[in-house]
Amino acid sequence: MAGRVVSHKAEFLTYVRRDGADGWVREVERKGTAVGKATTPFDTGGLADSLDVRRRFPAQNPTVRFHWREAHAMFPEVGTGLYGPLKRWITPRTAQALSWISSRPGGGRVFAKRVRGQRPQRYVKRTMEELFGAEHTQYFGWPGRPPKP
């Protein structure tokens, strides 16, 4: 997942002159951590806890990087199965059926020949838009490259 924030240069330079680039980066890091954890889907809390916000101060390009360390972080963002990039049912490769333990109260083992998948929740996109505004955000989604013109 990737995206880019395109800010008005005059706005950015005004802020940088007032507080310095490191002030801007620290403010984005502080707000971004709170917003990122608030917009991340919650089941067990592992995904929200895996948010890692890092700041860098290269001379010309101060950067704040948001990274969800969980291996499955991409799936709630882009969706799976019929709702994901491949747009197909989730089916078992070698077994006769898929199987999992239901998370519903008193739920037991569930078997299914196929499942639809998970709808995308776009929590990375919502984090970027809440921090920087939709007009400044270019969201690339999966696989994280800008769309071809």
Side-chain angles (χ1 to χ4, degrees):
M1 294 153 314
R4 177 175 59 204
V5 175
V6 180
S7 181
H8 295 296
K9 194 168 188 170
E11 277 180 33
F12 176 72
L13 290 176
T14 302
Y15 190 94
V16 169
R17 281 190 203 107
R18 189 182 71 220
D19 297 330
D22 54 331
W24 175 82
V25 171
R26 282 189 178 86
E27 183 71 12
V28 169
E29 179 188 31
R30 186 183 63 75
K31 285 182 181 174
T33 301
V35 171
K37 288 187 184 254
T39 59
T40 301
F42 185 84
D43 184 21
T44 62
L47 188 56
D49 290 341
S50 77
L51 173 60
D52 183 23
V53 181
R54 294 186 183 179
R55 60 181 182 233
R56 292 183 29 215
F57 297 100
Q60 294 294 323
N61 188 16
T63 306
V64 179
R65 180 174 178 246
F66 294 86
H67 176 69
W68 281 262
R69 290 184 309 273
E70 286 284 327
H72 71 277
M74 177 182 73
F75 302 127
E77 176 68 17
V78 299
T80 60
L82 292 175
Y83 311 110
L86 300 179
K87 309 264 187 255
R88 64 178 191 214
W89 288 89
I90 298 173
T91 58
R93 289 187 180 191
T94 56
Q96 292 183 4
L98 300 167
S99 174
W100 65 93
I101 305 293
S102 175
S103 60
R104 295 182 178 169
R109 184 158 293 281
V110 178
F111 295 94
K113 289 277 189 187
R114 64 183 188 173
V115 294
R116 288 185 177 88
Q118 178 180 11
R119 286 187 165 87
Q121 297 180 34
R122 305 282 188 230
Y123 63 95
V124 174
K125 180 180 182 187
R126 287 195 324 260
T127 299
M128 291 174 62
E129 287 178 350
E130 194 165 327
L131 279 173
F132 305 106
E135 67 275 6
H136 300 299
T137 303
Q138 292 177 342
Y139 176 73
F140 303 145
W142 184 85
R145 291 187 290 274
K148 293 180 181 176

